[in-house]
């Protein structure tokens, strides 16, 4: 190419640039017009929900949308039968990959442990009765396994181009007020005003609040729960909440989310819903949310000023540890945002943490349960309880954040595990890992179950303890190591497959800062001279717990469920599960996979949950590196454990477990004097628990 040709090509390139710029502007203008029209359509769809006879298929056909899209805009139009919605659970396991031939499992030889006198006691003559969610009652549930070949490689991979990165912006603060919907008391800035809320519809509440406090973008309801008004007219509480959120209004419409930072639509929840509204005359203007204070903490009778002070103290405590801390709408959003601001700026993970492949996230979702909930029934415990004593682990999950799995996992097959030395096997189990195992409860075992077994039904997991019982499951290394090395009798574990991660500290800094904020508020709740401020500090401390608890749960990320209807006789979408049908349509749902969420890390949630379940059984008290004592169910006498509730245990007698006020310590929360008839349902247990807490409070006998 000569210089003349080169100059001519440059000129032509400049001309092409101008044409591309013009085309981009045309596309942007068209996109803006499309967004405007789409927003108008969404507003009209939401408005149609106010008509009692409105039906999603007719609206969908007129709007050119799917029934699922219509339901997302206007949940009140959901055509799913009420009975199906009432029984549908949130936790749906991912489809199991086709099973592949597995290598011969590698048995783990338990370490030599001298059995304690308790372990030598004979097993009960009668097999332990199943819990209300036992495998016998519900039936076993098959869990997915790791496939062989190219399909298996996806379980040792991350998602291309999806990384958790540190943000380079500060969150926007939202003008917030606190409203007692029962009395009409509104806390705005440093004053309280009384409002007339009319019939307490969303529109009337917004009119009253915005008149008293113009510019408000977030309203927290501290008492009164207006979304439960008229609930008796609906078959489920969720239907009643959806109806309230979608109450027609001439002045307000459902927010459609135009704009990068605006969330769209309502969130329907039985007790903690979120309503998002925009002025009908200016739907593209500022969105105002109506939310429940219960997302953050139970106000427990606190007035709106105390709730406002609690939020102020919470923000101040977090700002001492994050210069750019902002309280977002929910503790989950706040927790994830605060965590993202602890992503390291140097070292191996300075560029962010990679997100696992969709296949691996689905496997973790299906095989890693959360908290242990189990009611243990006679004859494993007495029919008549001498007492009911409740212990609750203080700020429990905060104790398990110091180490978490990072990077791409390495698959450990049964053959590879068998080839390891005993020291290597122990190291692998004590590292961040997730294992597919076959478990056998040892002969002579007379205590609680140690490992989760999958079952169908609401509970999803049970904890077998009958001697000789064999089951296949997945579990974290912490739980498996405990089953092998517990001080009573080692269990038999066979490794079928596993995933071994690199040990990292992605949650450590986040956890340390939250623990420091919690400690500051807890101390303030004890020493402040003003009673209102003591209460506010206590509630703020509970809010920090919610930030950690729900922030951690936000990493788990569930697969999306899409529901819809199809005319009878027409083919259903691939993978659809039929929920119900009538003489015209079939109602179905199907999994739509996972969204490309850069903050999806189910491996972190799974590892923390596994460690917390293990600590319910055996937790070590340390002074430096020295072990100074033990606590947990395995350190209580056999036959004395009545109930497990995520981070709490109920027993028939008090325990000598010290409480130093540190995260993870067991705190005496309730003591109900017996004899008591053993509860047969969780509801009966919760009633007894409330009585026990009241009795202990009346005694003033806390540890």
């Amino acid at each position: 190419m000569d210089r003349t040709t080169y100059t001519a090509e440059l000129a032509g390139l400049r001309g092409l640039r101008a044409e591309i710029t013009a085309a981009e502007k045309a596309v942007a203008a068209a996109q803006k017009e499309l967004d405007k029209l789409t927003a108008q359509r969404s507003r009209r769809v939401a408005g149609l929900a106010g008509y009692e006879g409105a039906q999603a298929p007719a609206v969908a056909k007129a709007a050119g949308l799917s029934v699922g899209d219509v339901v997302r805009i206007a949940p009140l139009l959901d055509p799913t039968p009420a009975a199906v919605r009432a029984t549908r659970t949130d936790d749906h396991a991912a489809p199991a990959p086709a099973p592949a031939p597995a290598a011969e499992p590698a048995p783990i030889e338990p370490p030599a442990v001298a059995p304690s006198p308790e372990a030598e006691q004979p097993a009960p003559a009668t097999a332990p009765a199943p819990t209300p969610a036992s495998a016998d009652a519900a039936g076993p549930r098959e869990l997915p396994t790791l496939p062989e070949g190219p399909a298996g490689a996806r379980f040792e991979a991350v998602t291309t181009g999806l990384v958790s990165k540190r943000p380079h912006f500060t969150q926007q603060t939202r003008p917030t007020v606190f409203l007692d919907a029962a009395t009409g008391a509104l806390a705005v800035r440093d004053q309280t005003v009384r409002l007339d809320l009319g019939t307490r519809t969303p529109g009337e509440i917004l009119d009253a609040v915005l008149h008293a406090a113009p510019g408000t973008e977030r309203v927290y309801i501290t008492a009164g729960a207006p979304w439960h008004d008229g609930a008796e007219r609906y078959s489920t509480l969720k239907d009643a909440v959806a109806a309230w959120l979608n109450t027609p209004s001439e002045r307000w419409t459902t927010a459609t989310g135009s704009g990068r930072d605006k969330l769209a639509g309502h969130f329907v929840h039985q007790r903690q819903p979120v309503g998002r509204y925009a002025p009908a005359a200016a739907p593209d203007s500022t969105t105002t949310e109506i939310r429940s204070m219960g997302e953050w903490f139970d106000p427990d009778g606190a007035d709106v000023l105390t709730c406002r002070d609690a939020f102020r103290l919470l923000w101040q405590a977090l700002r001492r540890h994050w210069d750019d801390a902002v309280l977002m709408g929910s503790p989950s959003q706040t927790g994830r945002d605060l965590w993202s601001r602890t992503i390291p700026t140097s070292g191996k993970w300075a560029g962010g943490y990679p997100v696992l492949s969709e296949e691996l996230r689905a496997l973790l979702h299906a095989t890693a349960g959360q908290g242990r909930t189990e009611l243990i029934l006679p004859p494993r415990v007495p029919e008549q309880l001498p007492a009911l004593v409740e212990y609750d682990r203080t700020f429990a999950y905060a104790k398990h954040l110091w180490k978490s799995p990072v990077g791409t996992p390495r698959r450990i097959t049964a053959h590879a595990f068998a080839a390891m030395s005993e020291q290597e096997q122990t190291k692998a189990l004590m590292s961040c890992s997730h294992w597919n195992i076959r478990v056998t409860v040892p002969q002579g075992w007379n205590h609680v179950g140690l490992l989760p077994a999958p079952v169908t039904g609401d509970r999803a997991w049970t904890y077998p303890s009958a001697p000789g019982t064999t089951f296949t499951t997945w579990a974290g290394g912490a739980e498996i190591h405990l089953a092998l090395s517990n001080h009573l009798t080692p269990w038999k574990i066979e490794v079928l497959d596993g995933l071994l991660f690199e040990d990292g500290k992605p949650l450590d800094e986040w956890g340390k800062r939250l623990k420091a904020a919690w400690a500051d508020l807890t101390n303030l709740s004890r020493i402040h001279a003003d009673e209102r401020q003591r209460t506010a500090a206590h509630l703020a401390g509970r809010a920090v717990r919610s930030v950690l608890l729900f922030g951690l749960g936000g990493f788990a990320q569930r697969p999306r469920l899409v529901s819809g209807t199809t005319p009878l006789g027409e083919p259903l979408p691939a993978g659809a599960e039929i929920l119900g049908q009538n003489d015209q349509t079939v109602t179905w749902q199907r999994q739509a996979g996972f969204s490309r969420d850069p903050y999806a890390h189910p491996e972190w949630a799974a590892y923390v949950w596994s460690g917390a379940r293990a600590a319910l059984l055996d937790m070590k008290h340390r002074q430096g590196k020295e072990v100074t004592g033990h606590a947990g169910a395995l350190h209580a006498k056999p036959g004395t454990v009545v109930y497990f509730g995520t981070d709490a245990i109920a027993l028939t007698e008090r325990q000598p477990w010290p409480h130093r006020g540190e995260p993870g310590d067991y705190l005496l929360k309730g003591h109900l004097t017996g004899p008591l008839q053993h509860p047969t349902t969780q509801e009966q247990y919760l009633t007894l628990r409330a009585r026990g807490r009241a009795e202990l409070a009346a005694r003033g006998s806390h540890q």
Side-chain angles (χ1 to χ4, degrees):
M1 178 182 293
D2 56 23
R3 183 172 182 80
T4 302
T5 304
Y6 173 74
T7 302
E9 285 295 321
L10 282 180
L13 193 58
R14 283 191 289 271
L16 185 60
R17 180 189 66 189
E19 293 177 14
I20 291 174
T21 301
E24 287 176 341
K25 289 181 179 179
V27 169
Q31 184 64 51
K32 184 176 180 180
E33 180 64 20
L34 178 60
D35 290 343
K36 180 180 178 181
L37 295 172
T38 301
Q40 290 179 3
R41 179 175 63 180
S42 296
R43 289 193 296 274
R44 291 190 178 187
V45 168
L48 288 172
Y51 173 55
E52 186 175 354
Q55 294 185 350
V59 175
K61 185 175 181 180
L65 296 170
S66 69
V67 172
D69 290 333
V70 168
V71 170
R72 278 191 288 276
I73 296 170
L76 192 60
L77 296 179
D78 189 347
T80 306
V84 174
R85 289 200 300 272
T87 57
R88 185 188 301 169
T89 59
D90 291 331
D91 188 12
H92 292 267
E104 190 65 26
I108 307 176
E109 292 299 327
V113 178
S116 71
E118 293 178 353
E120 295 173 359
Q121 295 177 5
T126 306
T131 66
S134 69
D136 292 340
R141 172 169 55 94
E142 186 176 351
L143 295 178
T145 57
L146 295 174
E148 300 296 337
R154 292 293 301 152
F155 291 81
E156 299 178 81
V158 297
T159 302
T160 304
L162 197 58
V163 179
S164 303
K165 294 183 179 180
R166 190 184 185 106
H168 299 292
F169 63 92
T170 300
Q171 289 289 353
Q172 180 182 353
T173 59
R174 309 280 184 183
T176 301
V177 298
F178 303 85
L179 174 67
D180 183 334
T183 65
L186 178 75
V188 50
R189 301 182 183 87
D190 294 322
Q191 61 180 335
T192 304
V193 297
R194 190 75 61 176
L195 305 181
D196 179 1
L197 302 178
T199 60
R200 307 201 315 169
T201 64
E204 290 172 301
I205 289 175
L206 292 171
D207 286 340
V209 168
L210 271 295
H211 178 75
T216 295
E217 296 184 33
R218 190 169 290 143
V219 182
Y220 282 110
I221 305 295
T222 65
W227 39 81
H228 291 164
D229 289 351
E232 68 280 357
R233 301 196 304 268
Y234 299 88
S235 57
T236 69
L237 196 58
K238 195 169 185 178
D239 287 343
V241 172
W244 183 86
L245 290 170
N246 289 283
T247 303
S249 170
E250 295 180 356
R251 291 178 296 278
W252 296 94
T253 186
T254 303
T256 56
S258 57
R260 180 173 297 180
D261 297 330
K262 294 183 181 179
L263 292 173
H266 308 312
F267 174 67
V268 181
H269 186 276
Q270 290 91 326
R271 290 175 178 80
Q272 295 164 12
V274 180
R276 299 186 178 96
Y277 302 93
D284 293 330
S285 62
T286 302
T287 295
T288 303
E289 294 183 336
I290 299 178
R291 311 186 71 114
S292 169
M293 192 82 265
E295 292 184 77
W296 294 86
F297 51 76
D298 179 3
D300 195 23
D303 60 28
V304 290
L305 284 177
T306 303
C307 292
R308 180 211 60 191
D309 290 347
F311 247 57
R312 181 178 296 168
L313 290 173
L314 171 63
W315 176 77
Q316 290 172 346
L318 293 175
R319 289 284 285 197
R320 284 193 285 271
H321 305 284
W322 279 275
D323 292 339
D324 50 0
V326 171
L327 297 182
M328 302 178 69
S330 70
S332 175
Q333 294 170 322
T334 303
R336 193 165 73 168
D337 181 67
L338 293 177
W339 171 78
S340 70
R341 297 172 193 281
T342 66
I343 296 175
T345 55
S346 60
K348 182 175 181 179
W349 305 108
Y353 295 99
V355 174
L356 301 179
S357 68
E358 184 170 327
E359 291 84 351
L360 184 47
R361 281 182 278 153
L363 177 79
L364 288 166
H365 170 71
T367 61
Q370 191 175 349
R372 177 173 181 170
T373 303
E374 181 185 20
L375 177 63
I376 300 174
L377 299 175
R380 293 166 60 187
V381 289
E383 290 276 4
Q384 293 288 322
L385 305 179
L388 188 67
V389 185
E390 179 197 3
Y391 287 90
D392 183 77
R393 294 187 66 216
T394 301
F395 205 19
Y397 287 166
K399 186 176 178 64
H400 304 283
L401 302 177
W402 65 279
K403 182 174 75 171
S404 302
V406 290
T408 307
R410 176 166 60 97
R411 183 174 182 177
I412 306 295
T413 63
H415 178 76
F417 191 87
M420 291 181 175
S421 66
E422 181 178 340
Q423 182 178 7
E424 289 173 329
Q425 290 180 352
T426 300
K427 182 180 178 181
L429 291 174
M430 295 184 71
S431 298
C432 297
S433 52
H434 193 55
W435 303 92
N436 186 200
I437 54 175
R438 184 179 295 121
V439 183
T440 301
V441 182
Q443 295 299 325
W445 184 259
N446 66 343
H447 219 301
V448 298
L450 303 187
L451 291 165
V455 293
T456 56
D458 292 340
R459 292 292 183 205
W461 304 94
T462 189
Y463 293 81
S465 61
T469 301
T470 297
F471 59 95
T472 300
T473 190
W474 284 82
E479 295 171 277
I480 297 172
H481 185 261
L482 173 63
L484 289 167
S485 61
N486 75 83
H487 65 287
L488 301 177
T489 303
W491 284 32
K492 181 183 178 182
I493 309 290
E494 298 172 89
V495 167
L496 308 176
D497 223 327
L499 293 164
L500 183 61
F501 291 82
E502 178 183 342
D503 290 351
K505 293 183 174 293
L507 304 178
D508 186 48
E509 180 63 25
W510 180 64
K512 286 179 178 177
R513 296 188 194 184
L514 288 177
K515 283 187 285 188
W518 172 81
D520 292 344
L521 291 166
T522 300
N523 186 53
L524 187 63
S525 71
R526 293 170 179 158
I527 66 172
H528 202 289
D530 182 79
E531 182 178 355
R532 180 191 295 277
Q533 293 303 305
R534 289 199 302 272
T535 301
H538 169 73
L539 295 177
R542 299 297 293 173
V544 173
R545 176 184 178 275
S546 295
V547 168
L548 188 151
L549 182 68
F550 294 111
L552 179 67
F555 289 125
Q557 192 214 50
R558 290 178 169 86
R560 295 170 295 149
L561 280 175
V562 175
S563 62
T565 58
T566 298
L568 196 63
E570 293 188 9
L572 299 178
E577 172 192 357
I578 297 177
L579 299 177
Q581 68 179 57
N582 54 32
D583 57 351
Q584 294 182 336
T585 60
V586 176
T587 303
W588 49 265
Q589 69 178 15
R590 65 181 178 85
Q591 291 205 16
F594 294 85
S595 62
R596 282 183 62 86
D597 183 355
Y599 297 107
H601 289 285
E603 71 276 20
W604 298 347
Y607 186 76
V608 172
W609 292 338
S610 175
R613 290 194 300 268
L616 274 182
L617 301 168
D618 179 22
M619 191 190 79
K620 296 178 176 63
H621 289 287
R622 299 180 184 273
Q623 190 69 39
K625 293 185 178 181
E626 180 185 357
V627 176
T628 58
H630 294 264
L634 291 185
H635 298 279
K637 295 177 183 177
T640 62
V641 180
V642 176
Y643 185 80
F644 290 98
T646 306
D647 52 7
I649 306 175
L651 310 102
T652 60
E653 57 186 37
R654 289 208 187 193
Q655 304 297 321
W657 301 337
H659 184 266
R660 304 159 298 177
E662 298 180 6
D665 284 359
Y666 281 87
L667 172 68
L668 178 64
K669 288 290 290 288
H671 186 147
L672 185 59
T673 304
L676 306 163
Q677 185 65 33
H678 190 292
T680 58
T681 65
Q682 183 172 349
E683 290 71 23
Q684 291 179 7
Y685 164 75
L686 294 176
T687 299
L688 294 178
R689 185 186 73 174
R691 289 171 52 192
R693 291 182 177 182
E695 180 179 313
L696 185 65
R699 292 181 186 179
S701 179
H702 293 277
Q703 284 184 326

